[in-house]
Amino acid sequence: MYRVDLAALAASAAQVAGFGEDVAIAHLVSDNRIATAERGWVGASAVALSITAADWLQASRRLLTRLGDHSLDLANDVIHVAAAEYAGAEQLRELGSV
């Protein structure tokens, strides 16, 4: 038997979602700064920065996707645990009415 604090689990889901939003904003600001900086680079340095920036963008997208997935998983856990708790309560009510 396990015990789950649904309010704490829901708060965790919201907190992870908030972290994801904060990270998304910070990464967008960084991406914009990099794009601005790229304009001043030329030649092989410009190509290298462009490739590196593209790699960073992909890494950022993967991280944000993982945070979003984690938040969604936590939110779904809240739904599943609440549904199981409700079903268990219904079974107990049925037993009590017999």
Side-chain angles (χ1 to χ4, degrees):
M1 178 84 174
Y2 59 92
R3 295 179 64 140
V4 176
D5 183 339
L6 285 176
L9 187 57
S12 294
Q15 189 173 27
V16 171
F19 290 152
E21 291 170 4
D22 292 346
V23 169
I25 290 167
H27 283 214
L28 180 60
V29 168
S30 295
D31 290 343
N32 289 337
R33 287 181 180 165
I34 291 167
T36 300
E38 279 183 299
R39 292 184 205 130
W41 291 50
V42 295
S45 296
V47 172
L49 180 58
S50 179
I51 291 169
T52 301
D55 290 344
W56 288 339
L57 181 59
Q58 289 304 315
S60 177
R61 287 180 179 159
R62 284 191 302 272
L63 173 63
L64 291 171
T65 298
R66 289 186 68 193
L67 281 168
D69 290 347
H70 186 53
S71 176
L72 183 59
D73 288 344
L74 287 169
N76 285 335
D77 289 344
V78 171
I79 293 167
H80 294 298
V81 170
E85 189 174 284
Y86 179 80
E90 283 296 308
Q91 289 174 345
L92 286 173
R93 274 193 281 282
E94 289 174 10
L95 288 174
S97 66
V98 173

